[in-house]
Amino acid sequence: AQSVTQLDSQVPVFEEAPVELRCNYSSSVSVYLFWYVQYPNQGLQLLLKYLSGSTLVKGINGFEAEFNKSQTSFHLRKPSVHISDTAEYFCAVITEPLSSGSARQLTFGSGTQLTVLP
Amino acid sequence: EAQVTQNPRYLITVTGKKLTVTCSQNMNHEYMSWYRQDPGLGLRQIYYSMNVEVTDKGDVPEGYKVSRKEKRNFPLILESPSPNQTSLYFCASSMTGTATNEKLFFGSGTQLSVL
C-alpha cells in the first residue's frame, strides 16, 4: 500500500527566509506526487505536481519541489517566504498500477503547518 | 464560476441525531468524493462516486452513507452520529476520477462537532 510521511507537523519561519517542507513516500512502483495548500478556512488547492519528466517541478506562488527517486522524497521549497504563505501544506501520492477505468487513489500525508513570522 | 459548494459551513449536533451534509458541483464532473480531516492524520477518504448511482467505500466509511442520484450532488449522511465523527469534512470533484493529471476541486469544508 502507498503511504506518505510528512515529518514536520509545524514549521515556523521568518518572513523572507527560505523554507523546505519534507515529504517521503513509500511505494515500489511508479508514483505521481502532489503538493496541496490549504489556506485558513478554505479547501485544498493544487500547488504543483510531478507526473513524469524533469524531477524539478515549479508550481504557483514561487514554490518548487524536487522528485528524488533514490531517496523516495518530494520536498517542497521556496527561497523567500511571505506572510501570505502561512497555510497548511499536504503532500499526496498516486501509485501505479492503475486499472483502466478504475478510480485513482490519492493518499494524503498528515500535513505541515507553515507559519511565517514577521 | 467553477466551484464545489458544501453546506453547512459549521454544524453542532448531538449523538444519534441524523444529519446530512450537502455537496454540489457546477462543473459536470463525474467523480466526487468525501474526505475527513483530523489533526495529525491528514485527509482520509470516506466514500467516492465515479458517476450517478455508482458509489464505493474509501478508507474510513464506517458510520457514513452517501448517495449519488444526480450528477451534481453528493450528500454525506450520518445516520447516528457519534463524538468520534467530530471532524472537518471536505467534498471534492474531478472530471473522471481515473486520470492522474486531473485537477481535484475542493469545497470550503464543513466543521462538524458531535456532542
Side-chain angles (χ1 to χ4, degrees):
Chain A
Q2 61 197 37
S3 69
V4 180
T5 302
Q6 292 181 246
L7 292 169
D8 307 304
S9 59
Q10 308 256 359
V11 174
V13 63
F14 287 107
E15 194 172 18
E16 297 184 10
V19 71
E20 177 180 85
L21 307 183
R22 297 180 293 169
C23 172
N24 289 87
Y25 66 91
S26 65
S27 175
S28 58
V29 295
S30 299
V31 295
Y32 308 94
L33 294 153
F34 306 81
W35 275 99
Y36 282 83
V37 59
Q38 183 183 25
Y39 297 106
N41 299 313
Q42 294 185 28
L44 278 71
Q45 303 172 36
L46 183 64
L47 201 55
L48 50 79
K49 60 187 175 186
Y50 169 79
L51 302 180
S52 64
S54 172
T55 57
L56 184 62
V57 180
K58 294 190 183 299
I60 61 172
N61 300 337
F63 283 93
E64 62 181 32
E66 185 158 19
F67 171 57
N68 188 320
K69 188 173 182 179
S70 62
Q71 296 187 5
T72 60
S73 67
F74 190 55
H75 301 332
L76 181 70
R77 303 185 182 101
K78 187 170 182 178
S80 175
V81 294
H82 302 127
I83 296 286
S84 60
D85 291 324
T86 294
E88 188 153 22
Y89 293 78
F90 292 92
C91 185
V93 63
I94 297 172
T95 58
E96 294 223 78
L98 300 173
S99 303
S100 175
S102 65
R104 45 136 171 69
Q105 295 303 320
L106 188 62
T107 299
F108 287 91
S110 55
T112 298
Q113 175 64 46
L114 173 65
T115 302
V116 181
L117 307 167
Chain B
E1 181 190 354
Q3 59 184 2
V4 177
T5 304
Q6 290 178 235
N7 280 298
R9 181 73 180 88
Y10 300 95
L11 181 57
I12 301 174
T13 190
V14 294
T15 300
K17 186 175 182 182
K18 181 179 178 179
L19 65 90
T20 299
V21 184
T22 64
C23 174
S24 178
Q25 48 91 7
N26 63 358
M27 296 166 279
N28 202 36
H29 284 167
E30 293 180 351
Y31 177 88
M32 297 185 75
S33 179
W34 276 104
Y35 295 88
R36 60 177 288 172
Q37 181 181 1
D38 302 290
L41 296 177
L43 275 77
R44 294 177 293 169
Q45 191 178 49
I46 302 170
Y47 269 95
Y48 64 94
S49 169
M50 297 292 283
N51 214 324
V52 176
E53 302 292 0
V54 180
T55 63
D56 212 341
K57 296 177 180 179
D59 298 319
V60 288
E62 294 78 21
Y64 303 95
K65 283 176 57 177
V66 292
S67 70
R68 189 90 182 273
K69 293 183 173 56
E70 306 164 282
K71 199 170 189 178
R72 63 183 292 125
N73 296 324
F74 190 45
L76 179 69
I77 303 155
L78 284 71
E79 295 270 4
S80 181
S82 61
N84 64 11
Q85 293 179 299
T86 292
S87 186
L88 179 58
Y89 291 86
F90 287 100
C91 180
S93 74
S94 68
M95 187 66 68
T96 68
T98 59
T100 55
N101 61 352
E102 255 178 26
K103 184 176 180 180
L104 195 58
F105 291 80
F106 282 85
S108 298
T110 297
Q111 179 64 58
L112 172 66
S113 296
V114 183
L115 306 177

